[in-house]
């Protein structure tokens, strides 16, 4: 308890999933939390559930005007921001028409996924740097993905956009260090975290159970991750415990990226 006392944190995509779990954990650790999302109904409800030291704002991360409005409010009301978690992201499977493979992908869908996943993160960093540097203090945590590190044959735009997040994080980290802004920037790479993001891929009932079991078999730790597994990693990088850490990528994937396919299994 108390690892973020007196800190002001803004989290994108906080109405559900990893963003919501992060908001709850930050709040539990004493932070004032600004939850943002495009899903206003669930976002408002999540903030209401937290009660004091929380508020909800509409923020579509792909729209620069939305970022400007939220940061104008932050400047006027609080005069600062200590922590930004760029969490909002989409696979594109639900909102865009696809296909999503590198041979036949739909360009409009490709652009939409990049607008949310990579432009959204870049815009968040842009406005966070401008306000955080005033107090020479800040931590930015960007949620990339294991897909930002390895290829995804059926999610080309998602993988490409998450790779952009991974790289931009390091650029922001070095830029802020070079300018002595006191701002750190790190990326987190979740893999196989059971949230609603998976619903369209897993389906329901027996099919869902079968696919989840199959997924668990492929994770070295033998289970899918929870939103809290990721939130705990975000908390560490956001907190002062990580004050000498910038520009890193932290995998939260049950060991998926630790190994490789076609490795000796002992059964040969
Ligand atoms: P989720 O359950 O789908 O939640 C994402 C939230 O972001 C939703 O509330 C969604 O609102 C919101 N959102 C969508 N577009 C937005 C926009 N333009 N601006 C602001 N908010 C927007 O996803 P999650 O699993 O928690 O994932 C969170 C992050 O972790 C994403 O960046 C994702 O790529 C990354 N990640 C997840 C996994 C995983 O296995 N779950 C693995 C690797 C990386 P709507 O409900 O209206 O869509």
């Amino acid at each position: 308890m108390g690892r973020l006392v007196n800190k002001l944190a803004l989290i994108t995509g906080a109405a559900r999933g990893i963003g919501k779990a992060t908001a709850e954990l930050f709040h539990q650790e004493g932070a004032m939390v600004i939850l943002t999302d495009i899903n206003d109904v669930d976002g408002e409800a999540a903030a209401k559930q937290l009660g004091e030291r929380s508020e909800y704002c509409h923020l579509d991360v792909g729209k620069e005007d939305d970022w400007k409005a939220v940061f104008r409010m932050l400047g006027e009301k609080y005069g600062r921001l200590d922590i930004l978690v760029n969490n909002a992201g989409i696979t594109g499977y639900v909102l865009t028409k696809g296909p999503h493979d590198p041979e036949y992908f739909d360009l409009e869908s490709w652009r939409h996924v990049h607008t949310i996943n990579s432009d959204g993160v870049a815009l968040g960093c842009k406005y966070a740097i401008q306000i955080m540097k005033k107090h020479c203090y800040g931590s930015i945590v960007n949620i990339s993905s294991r897909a930002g590190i390895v290829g995804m044959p059926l999610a080309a735009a998602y993988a490409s956009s998450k790779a952009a997040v991974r790289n931009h994080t390091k650029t922001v980290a070095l830029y802020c260090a070079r300018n002595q802004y006191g701002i750190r920037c790190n990326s987190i790479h979740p893999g196989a975290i059971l949230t609603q993001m998976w619903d369209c891929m897993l389906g329901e009932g027996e099919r869902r159970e079968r696919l989840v079991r199959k997924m668990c078999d492929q994770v070295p730790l033998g289970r899918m991750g929870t939103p809290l597994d990721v939130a705990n990693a975000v908390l560490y990088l956001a907190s002062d415990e990580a004050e000498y850490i910038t520009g890193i990528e932290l995998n939260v994937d049950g060991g998926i990226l630790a190994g490789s396919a076609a490795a000796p299994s002992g059964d040969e």
Side-chain angles (χ1 to χ4, degrees):
M1 292 285 282
R3 289 158 75 188
L4 298 182
V5 170
N6 295 329
K7 298 288 192 275
L8 177 65
L10 188 149
I11 302 166
T12 67
R16 70 180 203 204
I18 292 168
K20 185 176 181 213
T22 303
E24 288 167 352
L25 186 60
F26 277 21
H27 189 264
Q28 196 180 307
E29 293 294 336
M32 163 76 204
V33 185
I34 298 168
L35 298 90
T36 69
D37 206 288
I38 49 169
N39 180 343
D40 296 335
V41 174
D42 290 352
E44 296 271 12
K48 201 167 164 203
Q49 214 176 353
L50 292 181
E52 277 180 26
R53 288 188 289 107
S54 76
E55 70 173 282
Y56 174 77
C57 296
H58 179 91
L59 168 59
D60 182 334
V61 295
K63 295 189 174 152
E64 185 157 18
D65 283 349
D66 280 15
W67 280 106
K68 283 183 184 163
V70 168
F71 273 79
R72 199 175 312 117
M73 178 281 288
L74 279 179
E76 286 165 11
K77 194 165 170 183
Y78 302 100
R80 68 181 222 281
L81 178 68
D82 303 310
I83 298 163
L84 170 67
V85 184
N86 278 313
N87 164 75
I90 58 167
T91 56
Y93 291 153
V94 178
L95 286 175
T96 66
K97 64 177 194 270
H100 297 282
D101 64 79
E103 184 176 6
Y104 297 110
F105 72 85
D106 171 69
L107 184 57
E108 203 181 314
S109 306
W110 169 279
R111 286 188 176 138
H112 187 67
V113 170
H114 280 81
T115 298
I116 308 301
N117 292 1
S118 50
D119 297 4
V121 169
L123 287 169
C125 292
K126 172 179 173 176
Y127 289 98
I129 292 168
Q130 291 177 22
I131 194 167
M132 286 172 169
K133 73 176 184 186
K134 291 183 185 161
H135 293 92
C136 203
Y137 182 89
S139 174
I140 301 172
V141 182
N142 294 330
I143 307 299
S144 175
S145 169
R146 66 171 151 149
I149 296 175
V150 296
M152 293 273 151
L154 300 179
Y158 183 73
S160 160
S161 64
K162 289 296 186 177
V165 171
R166 178 193 190 197
N167 191 276
H168 191 64
T169 298
K170 296 178 204 308
T171 295
V172 170
L174 293 179
Y175 174 83
C176 291
R178 176 196 182 103
N179 287 299
Q180 299 188 357
Y181 283 165
I183 303 169
R184 299 180 294 103
C185 185
N186 295 289
S187 62
I188 288 189
H189 299 260
I193 310 300
L194 194 51
T195 65
Q196 280 170 263
M197 182 176 262
W198 281 89
D199 286 354
C200 65
M201 295 172 266
L202 296 174
E204 292 174 350
E206 192 278 324
R207 174 189 151 85
R208 183 181 175 95
E209 281 173 30
R210 180 169 46 81
L211 291 177
V212 169
R213 266 199 313 275
K214 193 174 161 198
M215 190 81 64
C216 294
D217 287 345
Q218 293 170 15
V219 179
L221 287 184
R223 66 171 175 88
M224 290 188 77
T226 66
L228 185 59
D229 287 325
V230 183
N232 277 317
V234 180
L235 170 62
Y236 170 62
L237 289 177
S239 77
D240 290 340
E241 292 156 40
E243 69 181 356
Y244 194 53
I245 296 178
T246 196
I248 69 155
E249 45 197 71
L250 177 55
N251 300 336
V252 183
D253 67 349
I256 297 170
L257 290 171
S260 70
S265 66
D267 301 329
E268 292 77 11

